[in-house]
mmCIF file of all heavy atoms in Angstrom:
data_model
loop_
_atom_site.group_PDB
_atom_site.id
_atom_site.type_symbol
_atom_site.label_atom_id
_atom_site.label_comp_id
_atom_site.label_asym_id
_atom_site.label_seq_id
_atom_site.Cartn_x
_atom_site.Cartn_y
_atom_site.Cartn_z
ATOM 1 N N GLU A 64 -48.862 6.262 -10.282
ATOM 2 C CA GLU A 64 -49.199 6.538 -8.869
ATOM 3 C C GLU A 64 -48.519 5.510 -7.943
ATOM 4 O O GLU A 64 -48.022 5.858 -6.879
ATOM 5 C CB GLU A 64 -50.714 6.507 -8.651
ATOM 6 C CG GLU A 64 -51.458 7.727 -9.182
ATOM 7 C CD GLU A 64 -50.888 9.069 -8.631
ATOM 8 O OE1 GLU A 64 -50.063 9.044 -7.668
ATOM 9 O OE2 GLU A 64 -51.236 10.116 -9.176
ATOM 10 N N LEU A 65 -48.507 4.222 -8.384
ATOM 11 C CA LEU A 65 -47.883 3.176 -7.556
ATOM 12 C C LEU A 65 -46.396 3.461 -7.400
ATOM 13 O O LEU A 65 -45.842 3.400 -6.299
ATOM 14 C CB LEU A 65 -48.090 1.799 -8.216
ATOM 15 C CG LEU A 65 -47.367 0.624 -7.526
ATOM 16 C CD1 LEU A 65 -48.132 0.192 -6.278
ATOM 17 C CD2 LEU A 65 -47.217 -0.568 -8.480
ATOM 18 N N VAL A 66 -45.761 3.818 -8.527
ATOM 19 C CA VAL A 66 -44.305 4.091 -8.494
ATOM 20 C C VAL A 66 -44.028 5.334 -7.647
ATOM 21 O O VAL A 66 -43.136 5.346 -6.798
ATOM 22 C CB VAL A 66 -43.754 4.240 -9.927
ATOM 23 C CG1 VAL A 66 -42.276 4.614 -9.909
ATOM 24 C CG2 VAL A 66 -43.962 2.936 -10.717
ATOM 25 N N HIS A 67 -44.865 6.381 -7.807
ATOM 26 C CA HIS A 67 -44.671 7.581 -6.974
ATOM 27 C C HIS A 67 -44.807 7.232 -5.488
ATOM 28 O O HIS A 67 -43.994 7.662 -4.661
ATOM 29 C CB HIS A 67 -45.709 8.654 -7.328
ATOM 30 C CG HIS A 67 -45.316 9.504 -8.498
ATOM 31 N ND1 HIS A 67 -44.077 10.106 -8.633
ATOM 32 C CD2 HIS A 67 -46.009 9.855 -9.615
ATOM 33 C CE1 HIS A 67 -44.023 10.790 -9.758
ATOM 34 N NE2 HIS A 67 -45.185 10.652 -10.378
ATOM 35 N N LYS A 68 -45.791 6.389 -5.171
ATOM 36 C CA LYS A 68 -46.026 6.012 -3.761
ATOM 37 C C LYS A 68 -44.819 5.271 -3.194
ATOM 38 O O LYS A 68 -44.364 5.536 -2.082
ATOM 39 C CB LYS A 68 -47.272 5.112 -3.685
ATOM 40 C CG LYS A 68 -47.761 4.850 -2.263
ATOM 41 C CD LYS A 68 -49.133 4.167 -2.280
ATOM 42 C CE LYS A 68 -49.450 3.596 -0.879
ATOM 43 N NZ LYS A 68 -50.002 2.232 -0.953
ATOM 44 N N PHE A 69 -44.232 4.395 -4.022
ATOM 45 C CA PHE A 69 -43.047 3.602 -3.621
ATOM 46 C C PHE A 69 -41.905 4.530 -3.243
ATOM 47 O O PHE A 69 -41.280 4.411 -2.191
ATOM 48 C CB PHE A 69 -42.669 2.692 -4.789
ATOM 49 C CG PHE A 69 -41.394 1.903 -4.621
ATOM 50 C CD1 PHE A 69 -41.215 1.056 -3.533
ATOM 51 C CD2 PHE A 69 -40.374 1.979 -5.567
ATOM 52 C CE1 PHE A 69 -40.047 0.310 -3.381
ATOM 53 C CE2 PHE A 69 -39.199 1.240 -5.426
ATOM 54 C CZ PHE A 69 -39.042 0.408 -4.337
ATOM 55 N N TYR A 70 -41.688 5.572 -4.087
ATOM 56 C CA TYR A 70 -40.565 6.494 -3.816
ATOM 57 C C TYR A 70 -40.923 7.535 -2.768
ATOM 58 O O TYR A 70 -40.076 7.951 -1.972
ATOM 59 C CB TYR A 70 -40.070 7.125 -5.128
ATOM 60 C CG TYR A 70 -39.346 6.102 -5.961
ATOM 61 C CD1 TYR A 70 -39.967 5.458 -7.038
ATOM 62 C CD2 TYR A 70 -38.056 5.691 -5.589
ATOM 63 C CE1 TYR A 70 -39.306 4.462 -7.743
ATOM 64 C CE2 TYR A 70 -37.400 4.692 -6.296
ATOM 65 C CZ TYR A 70 -38.029 4.077 -7.365
ATOM 66 O OH TYR A 70 -37.385 3.069 -8.038
ATOM 67 N N ASN A 71 -42.193 7.942 -2.718
ATOM 68 C CA ASN A 71 -42.595 8.901 -1.671
ATOM 69 C C ASN A 71 -42.350 8.319 -0.283
ATOM 70 O O ASN A 71 -41.808 8.984 0.601
ATOM 71 C CB ASN A 71 -44.069 9.284 -1.834
ATOM 72 C CG ASN A 71 -44.306 10.144 -3.065
ATOM 73 O OD1 ASN A 71 -43.373 10.763 -3.594
ATOM 74 N ND2 ASN A 71 -45.547 10.181 -3.545
ATOM 75 N N GLN A 72 -42.722 7.046 -0.126
ATOM 76 C CA GLN A 72 -42.543 6.390 1.181
ATOM 77 C C GLN A 72 -41.065 6.350 1.553
ATOM 78 O O GLN A 72 -40.684 6.660 2.680
ATOM 79 C CB GLN A 72 -43.094 4.949 1.137
ATOM 80 C CG GLN A 72 -44.571 4.874 1.378
ATOM 81 C CD GLN A 72 -45.054 3.428 1.555
ATOM 82 O OE1 GLN A 72 -44.273 2.484 1.442
ATOM 83 N NE2 GLN A 72 -46.330 3.268 1.809
ATOM 84 N N ARG A 73 -40.207 6.027 0.579
ATOM 85 C CA ARG A 73 -38.759 5.918 0.879
ATOM 86 C C ARG A 73 -38.157 7.302 1.103
ATOM 87 O O ARG A 73 -37.270 7.490 1.927
ATOM 88 C CB ARG A 73 -38.066 5.173 -0.267
ATOM 89 C CG ARG A 73 -38.446 3.698 -0.314
ATOM 90 C CD ARG A 73 -37.993 3.051 -1.592
ATOM 91 N NE ARG A 73 -36.541 2.995 -1.687
ATOM 92 C CZ ARG A 73 -35.890 2.724 -2.828
ATOM 93 N NH1 ARG A 73 -36.580 2.507 -3.940
ATOM 94 N NH2 ARG A 73 -34.575 2.662 -2.864
ATOM 95 N N ARG A 74 -38.670 8.315 0.358
ATOM 96 C CA ARG A 74 -38.144 9.673 0.545
ATOM 97 C C ARG A 74 -38.501 10.171 1.948
ATOM 98 O O ARG A 74 -37.669 10.761 2.634
ATOM 99 C CB ARG A 74 -38.743 10.606 -0.522
ATOM 100 C CG ARG A 74 -38.027 11.895 -0.711
ATOM 101 C CD ARG A 74 -38.601 12.720 -1.861
ATOM 102 N NE ARG A 74 -38.531 12.075 -3.155
ATOM 103 C CZ ARG A 74 -39.589 11.616 -3.849
ATOM 104 N NH1 ARG A 74 -40.804 11.730 -3.331
ATOM 105 N NH2 ARG A 74 -39.444 11.049 -5.031
ATOM 106 N N GLN A 75 -39.739 9.908 2.380
ATOM 107 C CA GLN A 75 -40.147 10.342 3.733
ATOM 108 C C GLN A 75 -39.324 9.632 4.811
ATOM 109 O O GLN A 75 -38.965 10.221 5.816
ATOM 110 C CB GLN A 75 -41.646 10.074 3.937
ATOM 111 C CG GLN A 75 -42.553 10.932 3.062
ATOM 112 C CD GLN A 75 -42.126 12.401 3.015
ATOM 113 O OE1 GLN A 75 -41.757 12.983 4.037
ATOM 114 N NE2 GLN A 75 -42.124 12.993 1.827
ATOM 115 N N GLN A 76 -38.978 8.340 4.509
ATOM 116 C CA GLN A 76 -38.204 7.564 5.508
ATOM 117 C C GLN A 76 -36.831 8.203 5.725
ATOM 118 O O GLN A 76 -36.277 8.152 6.823
ATOM 119 C CB GLN A 76 -38.044 6.125 4.981
ATOM 120 C CG GLN A 76 -37.716 5.108 6.068
ATOM 121 C CD GLN A 76 -37.402 3.737 5.489
ATOM 122 O OE1 GLN A 76 -37.198 3.581 4.274
ATOM 123 N NE2 GLN A 76 -37.343 2.753 6.350
ATOM 124 N N LEU A 77 -36.292 8.844 4.672
ATOM 125 C CA LEU A 77 -34.957 9.460 4.782
ATOM 126 C C LEU A 77 -34.901 10.466 5.933
ATOM 127 O O LEU A 77 -33.871 10.660 6.562
ATOM 128 C CB LEU A 77 -34.577 10.177 3.484
ATOM 129 C CG LEU A 77 -34.001 9.341 2.364
ATOM 130 C CD1 LEU A 77 -33.423 10.259 1.292
ATOM 131 C CD2 LEU A 77 -32.933 8.382 2.876
ATOM 132 N N LYS A 78 -36.047 11.128 6.205
ATOM 133 C CA LYS A 78 -36.056 12.179 7.237
ATOM 134 C C LYS A 78 -35.927 11.573 8.638
ATOM 135 O O LYS A 78 -35.694 12.274 9.611
ATOM 136 C CB LYS A 78 -37.356 12.995 7.131
ATOM 137 C CG LYS A 78 -37.482 13.710 5.788
ATOM 138 C CD LYS A 78 -38.825 14.370 5.600
ATOM 139 C CE LYS A 78 -38.838 15.088 4.228
ATOM 140 N NZ LYS A 78 -40.184 15.436 3.774
ATOM 141 N N LYS A 79 -36.141 10.252 8.722
ATOM 142 C CA LYS A 79 -36.144 9.624 10.063
ATOM 143 C C LYS A 79 -34.857 8.851 10.343
ATOM 144 O O LYS A 79 -34.724 8.237 11.392
ATOM 145 C CB LYS A 79 -37.340 8.656 10.172
ATOM 146 C CG LYS A 79 -38.700 9.312 9.927
ATOM 147 C CD LYS A 79 -39.814 8.272 9.852
ATOM 148 C CE LYS A 79 -41.106 8.901 9.300
ATOM 149 N NZ LYS A 79 -41.815 7.983 8.384
#
Side-chain angles (χ1 to χ4, degrees):
E64 285 306 348
L65 174 78
V66 176
H67 276 311
K68 190 170 166 225
F69 174 56
Y70 289 100
N71 290 340
Q72 276 189 357
R73 290 168 66 194
R74 197 175 299 111
Q75 293 316 318
Q76 200 187 13
L77 277 192
K78 298 173 179 164
K79 302 172 193 141

